[in-house]
Structure formats: structure tokens, C-alpha cells
Amino acid sequence: MTEPTLPVRPELAGLEPYGAPQLDVPVLLNVNENPYPPSSTVVDDVAEAVRRAAGGLNRYPDRDFPALRADLADYLTRESGVPVEAAQVWAANGSNEVMLHLLQAFGGPGRTALSFAPTYSMYPEYARDTSTRWVVGRRAEDFTLDVEQAVAAVAEHRPSVVLLASPNNPTGTALDLPTVRALLDAARQVPGGCVVVVDEAYGEFRRAGVPSALELLADHPHLAVSRTMSKAFGLAGARLGYLAAAPALVDALRVVRLPYHLSAVTQAVARAALAHADELMAQVGALRAERDRTVEWLRSRGLRVAETDANFVLFGTFADRHAVWQGLLDRGVLIRETGPDGWLRVSIGTPAEMAAFQDALEEVAL
Ligand SMILES: *Cc1c(COP(=O)(O)O)cnc(C)c1O
């Protein structure tokens, strides 16, 4: 008998699953999590909400989760000052799944998704998994977007989806609204249409005066702004991402989602946590301040540091960045080996964790 061959799609052959190493070390600064766990009040309310949901688990959850969408709309309205309604909100198991829905609905064979590198390393995977052609332009030396070049790339490649992370991962760079507006205008000219996705996973960490692309929603039915509860909310383990867009765009996503993709437990956890949004976000100010201190400290040591509006800092450059990463790990501090050659990324932790990071970096590289 011959061994049967697994008919793995050729573009997946030999690939490893995506993901940063999950190592058990004292100081975890590698995946941009919020270092502050939920308070006992939040834990109690979440547990009670799950208890209530558990009593109905013989039934499928609400497929369209109107109550959660209304809560998310209220939260976005309060956070950004832009009125958002439930019909403009979509959610899934992490914004990663939201993005996949976007590519399933608007990408596909014969179509193109465009982004600008260096950027989030999952974007090409959504394109690959939906058989969407993947094209990347370059960011400028300081990781901002050159508007003229970016607009020209849209005109040249005629993508059906443009993916823009703002603040960008792994660089921390936020986009200004004129840049997003220029890309939205360019997208309007693409024959067959083009959706512009602004991924604001780190939106809540932006510095004062830095706008959210939510401000452009009213005039742009081909804009989607995605957010997540994984970062500022400190709920990475709950898996809840969402977006705001015109109701017609949301309706297109409802076609491709799996039935009952958001479990009753997930919906209950998210709603219980959203009722405590202010408390969960209370640490955001502290994390921003810690980020700005980290930037100053790294610069005071003569290192290059990218401007950042996120809860992480890209710094460098090192002739052998892997050795620096390993040296920190040997001292119990896990950061991320990512970004352009020579750069490293550190997530912002508690003051004690950042002190451990600084001590370790002094020993290893300074
Ligand atoms: C962390 C991150 C996300 C969020 O992913 P979730 O699936 O919501 O946990 C989205 N986009 C970027 C750029 C990120 O870095």
C-alpha cells in the first residue's frame, strides 16, 4: 500500500503556523498584551455573566449579537466622540477574524490586497488563505507613508482591499487623516471598488491630538475601522475584535461569517467587560506615560527609536539583533525579534517589568 498524500494546497506546503514563541519567563514583553490583569470586581462580573450564559448553552447563540454590537457602538462613540450605531458594528473572535472576514468578502481569486511594509505580519496570511494576490509598497525611512507613492500604488495595482495599520505594528507609526483621506479618494477610483481598512488595534494608546479614522466614517462607505479588546482593554484571552463601517459593508461580512461564530460565552464576557470599560482603560494613561519614558530612556542610551502611538516601542539598531534578543531572554525578559533588520520591539509592561528590561539591555548591549 502506498502512503496517501495529503493534498495540502501548494502555497501552504512546508509552512509553519504563525506565532511568537510562547515561553514561560518572568517578564513577558513580546506580544503587546496589557500587563494589568482585570480587577477582582471585573473578574466577578465576568464570572457571573458566564454563569448566566451557561444556563442557556443548550441553545445556539444569537447569530447577529445585537446587544453586544450596541455596547461596542456606545463604547466607540464615547471613546472617539464620533456617533456610531449598532448596525455599523461587526465583531468576531479577535480582530484577526474580522480581517479574515474582510478578505473573504472583498478579496479572493483574481483580486489584490495592498499594504505598506514593514507592517503586521498576519496581513499576507489573510491574503494567502483567501487566495488574494498580496502586494506591498514600502513605508518611508521613518516608517510614515509617502502619500503620493501610496496613492500611486493604489492606482497601479487596483486593489479591492487596502490594509493600513494605525498605529502600525511593529513600528508604532500613526497615520494622519489627510493621508487616510487621500487613500480613500484613490480607492474610489479603482474600477470595481476598493475597501480601505484602518486597523486601529492600538488606537486607544494614541497620543493626545492624534485622530482616529472613525472621524472619516460618515463620508466614506468604503472605509472600515477595526479595533480589538486584546490590547488597551487587557482582554487578549477573551478573543473579541470588532470594526465600524457603513451598514452595507457590515452586511457583506455577515454573508461570509460562519454561523454562530461568536459563542454565547464570548458575547457574555465581552458585554460584562464593556460595562467596566472606564476601569479597564484606566491603565491606558499609565501605559502611555511608561511608553514615553521608555522612548526617552532608549534615546538617552544612543539608540534609534521609532515614533510610537502604540503600547510598544521599536528600537535599534543592532548588528546582531538575535544575540540581543537571546541575551535578554537569558535574563528572563522576552521581547520580539521583528521589524526591519537590526530592530527589536518591546511591549510596554509595568514599571517593574520595564526596569527589568532596562537592566537586562544595559548588560547585554549598552
Ligand atoms: C494585536 C493586533 C491585532 C489584534 O488581534 P486580535 O485578534 O484582536 O487579538 C490586530 N492588528 C494588529 C496590527 C495587531 O498588532
Side-chain angles (χ1 to χ4, degrees), residues 18 31-32 92-99 119-123 126 165-170 199-202 226-231 235-237 239-242 312 345:
Y18 169 85
V31 286
N32 303 338
N93 297 282
S95 47
N96 270 279
E97 191 182 29
V98 171
M99 296 283 178
T119 191
Y120 191 35
S121 40
M122 277 305 296
Y123 294 161
Y126 313 140
S166 177
N168 184 44
N169 182 6
D199 178 356
E200 294 190 350
Y202 303 96
S226 85
R227 295 277 185 108
T228 180
M229 295 183 80
S230 296
K231 309 285 164 55
L235 284 182
R239 309 307 300 129
L240 200 289
Y242 56 104
F312 56 81
R345 191 192 71 192

Side-chain angles (χ1 to χ4, degrees), residues 1-350:
M1 286 234 296
T2 53
E3 273 300 301
T5 304
L6 289 179
V8 175
R9 289 164 49 193
E11 62 271 35
L12 304 182
L15 294 185
E16 294 288 328
Y18 169 85
Q22 289 190 307
L23 305 175
D24 186 16
V25 297
V27 180
L28 294 171
L29 301 173
N30 66 328
V31 286
N32 303 338
E33 292 155 333
N34 191 317
Y36 298 103
S39 71
S40 59
T41 314
V42 177
V43 169
D44 286 347
D45 278 9
V46 166
E48 176 55 25
V50 170
R51 206 189 63 79
R52 266 183 275 121
L57 286 181
N58 56 313
R59 300 292 179 192
Y60 282 112
D62 191 318
R63 269 193 307 263
D64 289 314
F65 45 96
L68 172 57
R69 287 162 78 189
D71 289 354
L72 289 165
D74 284 350
Y75 164 73
L76 282 179
T77 301
R78 273 187 288 126
E79 198 271 340
S80 68
V82 177
V84 177
E85 289 174 18
Q88 293 174 277
V89 173
W90 183 243
N93 297 282
S95 47
N96 270 279
E97 191 182 29
V98 171
M99 296 283 178
L100 188 61
H101 287 166
L102 284 161
L103 270 284
Q104 286 176 319
F106 301 114
R111 294 179 161 206
T112 297
L114 172 70
S115 191
F116 299 91
T119 191
Y120 191 35
S121 40
M122 277 305 296
Y123 294 161
E125 300 212 5
Y126 313 140
R128 180 199 70 199
D129 294 347
T130 56
S131 301
T132 309
R133 190 168 75 101
W134 174 241
V135 175
V136 266
R138 297 300 307 174
R139 285 172 175 265
E141 190 71 3
D142 63 357
F143 306 126
T144 59
L145 276 189
D146 178 310
V147 184
E148 263 174 51
Q149 259 183 36
V151 163
V154 172
E156 180 189 346
H157 298 292
R158 301 180 169 196
S160 58
V161 180
V162 175
L163 291 171
L164 304 168
S166 177
N168 184 44
N169 182 6
T171 63
T173 323
L175 293 173
D176 56 27
L177 291 190
T179 300
V180 180
R181 221 180 261 117
L183 283 160
L184 283 161
D185 289 347
R188 272 183 202 276
Q189 310 301 319
V190 174
C194 173
V195 167
V196 175
V197 181
V198 181
D199 178 356
E200 294 190 350
Y202 303 96
E204 287 94 347
F205 295 107
R206 66 193 187 274
R207 287 173 286 189
V210 175
S212 163
L214 288 168
E215 292 179 26
L216 303 176
L217 221 45
D219 303 327
H220 298 92
H222 57 318
L223 168 67
V225 182
S226 85
R227 295 277 185 108
T228 180
M229 295 183 80
S230 296
K231 309 285 164 55
F233 268 95
L235 284 182
R239 309 307 300 129
L240 200 289
Y242 56 104
L243 61 67
L249 195 157
V250 170
D251 284 344
L253 303 179
R254 292 172 58 215
V255 174
V256 297
R257 60 111 179 87
L258 295 174
Y260 318 112
H261 69 292
L262 265 193
S263 84
V265 172
T266 301
Q267 295 182 38
V269 169
R271 293 197 66 206
L274 279 161
H276 292 280
D278 292 343
E279 188 198 321
L280 284 162
M281 309 285 278
Q283 311 287 0
V284 166
L287 288 166
R288 275 202 213 108
E290 193 64 36
R291 168 198 65 206
D292 294 340
R293 275 195 291 278
T294 303
V295 168
E296 276 175 38
W297 181 82
L298 289 163
R299 286 192 177 137
S300 78
R301 305 323 251 185
L303 291 166
R304 284 178 72 192
V305 182
E307 287 294 324
T308 174
D309 278 283
N311 66 335
F312 56 81
V313 181
L314 190 74
F315 65 100
T317 55
F318 303 101
D320 184 354
R321 74 167 172 183
H322 182 73
V324 177
W325 179 85
Q326 185 66 54
L328 291 171
L329 182 56
D330 294 342
R331 288 160 182 78
V333 178
L334 180 61
I335 66 168
R336 190 77 181 267
E337 195 178 349
T338 185
D341 255 7
W343 295 80
L344 290 166
R345 191 192 71 192
V346 63
S347 310
I348 300 302
T350 64

